[in-house]
Amino acid sequence: TAYGLMQFNDMKKVGGKVDQEMLDRTAKWLMDRKDGKGGFSRNGRALDYFGRASEEVTNAYIIYSLSEAGYTDIKKEFTAAYESAKKGDAYVMALVANSAYNLNEKAKGDALMSDLLKKQNKDGIFAGAAHSITFSTGQSLDIETTSLAMMAIMKSKNYTGELMSSVKWLMSARNGYGAFGNTQGTILALKALTEFAK
């Protein structure tokens, strides 16, 4: 559902006719799954790869999705995700850093960026993640994590050299058919590169 919210929110940004009431219902459905402890209740059945992601990854992704779509009634959940992100998983750190900037938590965003940049290797890749929301691993995970980190860097309005290094690597990761790893990697790479072009 969080993935769907992201999809329709992105469609809306590029002029697609998207029903705001549908977006609000989707966000409300997610909000109604708050567990009262700073996370979200999940269905115990993992019917596809989305259901297999860790609790930390899932919560961080839901918060990222809601904050990207402009919903802000997630302060408790954001605080819990922020504490979880400090454990050092680069994918979670990138999601939560984006959420921090979306929620006007600049100090927390900057603190996470400082730690996240330590995960960037000399080629521009942000490594050091276990898996993504779609349970990606390998190069697809590197593409997703690097793309999310790039978007957080652009929101921070700092670290131009680090950003350029990641842009260069991401462009080299595109295959001959115009894709960047798996579908989610391609979506996030195009989103990051479009934001960079703007």
Side-chain angles (χ1 to χ4, degrees):
T1 302
Y3 188 91
L5 181 63
M6 287 288 300
Q7 177 183 5
F8 285 110
N9 187 60
D10 286 345
M11 287 169 63
K12 183 179 173 183
K13 287 179 182 176
V14 296
K17 187 175 180 183
V18 177
D19 181 357
Q20 185 61 46
E21 288 184 7
M22 181 270 293
L23 288 177
D24 291 340
R25 282 194 311 272
T26 303
K28 182 182 183 306
W29 188 90
L30 287 168
M31 298 284 201
D32 286 348
R33 268 114 197 111
K34 291 179 182 180
D35 63 12
K37 300 178 284 188
F40 296 85
S41 299
R42 298 196 304 172
N43 188 324
R45 295 179 297 158
L47 300 178
D48 56 29
Y49 284 116
F50 286 89
R52 298 179 191 169
S54 70
E55 185 176 341
E56 292 80 14
V57 166
T58 301
N59 288 339
Y61 188 85
I62 292 170
I63 293 159
Y64 168 67
S65 173
L66 287 165
S67 71
E68 283 283 300
Y71 299 95
T72 59
D73 187 21
I74 46 175
K75 296 293 184 174
K76 182 175 184 178
E77 291 71 26
F78 167 75
T79 300
Y82 175 75
E83 292 303 319
S84 177
K86 292 196 289 188
K87 295 177 185 174
D89 183 289
Y91 179 81
V92 173
M93 292 170 79
L95 286 171
V96 178
N98 275 285
S99 300
Y101 293 119
N102 292 340
L103 296 169
N104 295 316
E105 295 276 0
K106 187 175 184 328
K108 288 182 177 175
D110 290 347
L112 273 180
M113 281 307 308
S114 178
D115 289 337
L116 181 59
L117 287 166
K118 295 172 186 169
K119 302 278 185 181
Q120 187 183 37
N121 70 24
K122 60 184 175 64
D123 295 326
I125 303 168
F126 282 85
H131 62 269
S132 71
I133 190 66
T134 54
F135 221 79
S136 301
T137 57
Q139 183 168 0
S140 288
L141 177 59
D142 289 343
I143 289 169
E144 291 176 46
T145 305
T146 301
S147 298
L148 286 164
M150 286 169 56
M151 288 186 276
I153 290 171
M154 287 182 271
K155 288 173 184 170
S156 79
K157 300 183 176 16
N158 290 310
Y159 313 111
T160 304
E162 291 86 346
L163 176 61
M164 293 305 298
S165 178
S166 290
V167 169
K168 184 177 178 182
W169 176 78
L170 195 56
M171 291 301 294
S172 74
R174 182 176 55 193
N175 69 28
Y177 300 101
F180 298 80
N182 62 15
T183 303
Q184 179 68 352
T186 301
I187 290 166
L188 288 172
L190 290 172
K191 192 170 179 176
L193 291 169
T194 300
E195 195 60 35
F196 174 74
K198 284 162 57 181

